[in-house]
């Protein structure tokens, strides 16, 4: 069934002119239409509609995903009392005994945390088979892109040099026929997104599926 995702502001890609009241129509895993909500809705009168607050943009690329998934351990919630909730690195990581199964579980949890930050694409390479499998199952696209100079973290925007436009972290552009990968951030505009960061994400769509929605 075709679904229309509308937002207060639509940005279709790097350098694109923001469109107030924009929308993206999704059919299957592809974008069927992009434009003003009234036009998209009129062309698809039987479509289901999801309205979002804030800015709808292409999904983000996390260029430090290999470090986040293969050089950090994301604790299981059942381990929180012992290990806490934040990723473990350095000596705390070295102290753990991790087999392939635990690395795979960690990578699945790490991938879910990325989705909560609007990430739809990652940069590898991933050397562990269990991590590669977790990334594939999450549906995250793998792309080639130079690593952002900032520190590795779940927020791809925080890794950009100060003053860099957030759209440099976009994974692609939103256009008919493209894979339906995008995110929505509860901010007023791109300037506010630069200040708030990807933690303002309220929804992530990956291959046409709503894979994250803020509660």
């Amino acid at each position: 069934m075709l679904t229309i995702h509308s937002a207060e502001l639509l940005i279709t890609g790097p350098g694109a002119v923001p469109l107030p009241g924009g929308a993206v129509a999704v059919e299957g895993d592809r974008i069927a239409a992009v434009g003003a909500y009234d036009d998209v809705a009129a062309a698809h009168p039987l479509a289901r509609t999801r309205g979002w607050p804030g800015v709808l943009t292409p999904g983000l690329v996390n260029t430090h995903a290999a470090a986040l998934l293969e050089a950090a351990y994301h604790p299981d919630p059942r381990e929180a009392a012992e290990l806490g909730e934040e990723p473990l690195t350095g000596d705390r990581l070295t102290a753990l005994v991790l087999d392939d199964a635990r690395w795979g579980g960690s990578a699945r949890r790490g991938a879910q945390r990325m989705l909560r930050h609007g990430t739809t694409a990652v940069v590898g390479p991933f050397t562990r088979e269990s991590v590669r499998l977790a990334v594939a199952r999450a549906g995250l696209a793998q792309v080639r892109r130079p690593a952002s100079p900032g520190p590795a973290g779940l927020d791809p925007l925080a890794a950009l040099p100060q003053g860099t436009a957030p759209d440099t972290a976009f994974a692609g552009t939103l256009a008919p026929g493209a894979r339906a990968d995008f995110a929505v951030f509860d901010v007023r505009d791109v300037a506010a997104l630069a200040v708030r960061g990807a933690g303002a994400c309220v929804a992530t769509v990956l291959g046409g599926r709503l894979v994250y929605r803020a509660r």
Side-chain angles (χ1 to χ4, degrees), residues 153-179:
L154 293 167
D155 183 351
L157 303 179
L160 298 176
Q162 187 172 5
T164 302
D167 63 12
T168 60
F170 290 172
T173 59
L174 304 178
R179 197 171 97 139

Side-chain angles (χ1 to χ4, degrees), residues 3-154:
T3 301
I4 296 173
H5 295 263
S6 65
E8 295 164 4
L9 193 68
L10 170 66
I11 301 173
T12 58
V17 177
L19 175 63
V24 176
V26 174
E27 188 166 23
D29 66 349
R30 297 287 153 178
I31 294 175
V34 177
Y37 171 74
D38 289 345
D39 294 338
V40 174
H44 303 281
L46 300 180
R48 173 177 59 181
T49 297
R50 291 185 184 273
W52 301 104
V55 181
L56 191 157
T57 76
L60 306 180
V61 178
N62 194 310
T63 62
H64 295 290
L68 285 168
L69 299 182
E70 295 199 324
Y73 178 73
H74 299 264
D76 187 293
R78 294 168 295 184
E79 301 172 312
E82 176 187 358
L83 301 178
E85 298 180 355
E86 294 303 309
L88 305 181
T89 59
D91 291 343
R92 296 195 69 194
L93 175 63
T94 304
L96 298 176
V97 178
L98 301 177
D99 58 14
D100 241 16
R102 289 190 75 186
W103 273 117
S106 170
R108 287 193 296 273
R109 293 185 291 273
Q112 290 301 312
R113 297 182 78 184
M114 289 183 185
L115 294 174
R116 294 199 294 268
H117 288 77
T119 294
T120 59
V122 294
V123 175
F126 302 103
T127 60
R128 297 180 185 275
E129 178 61 27
S130 58
V131 174
R132 289 196 294 268
L133 185 59
V135 170
R137 286 180 172 174
L140 292 164
Q142 291 194 53
V143 298
R144 293 187 178 185
R145 188 173 293 192
S148 300
L154 293 167

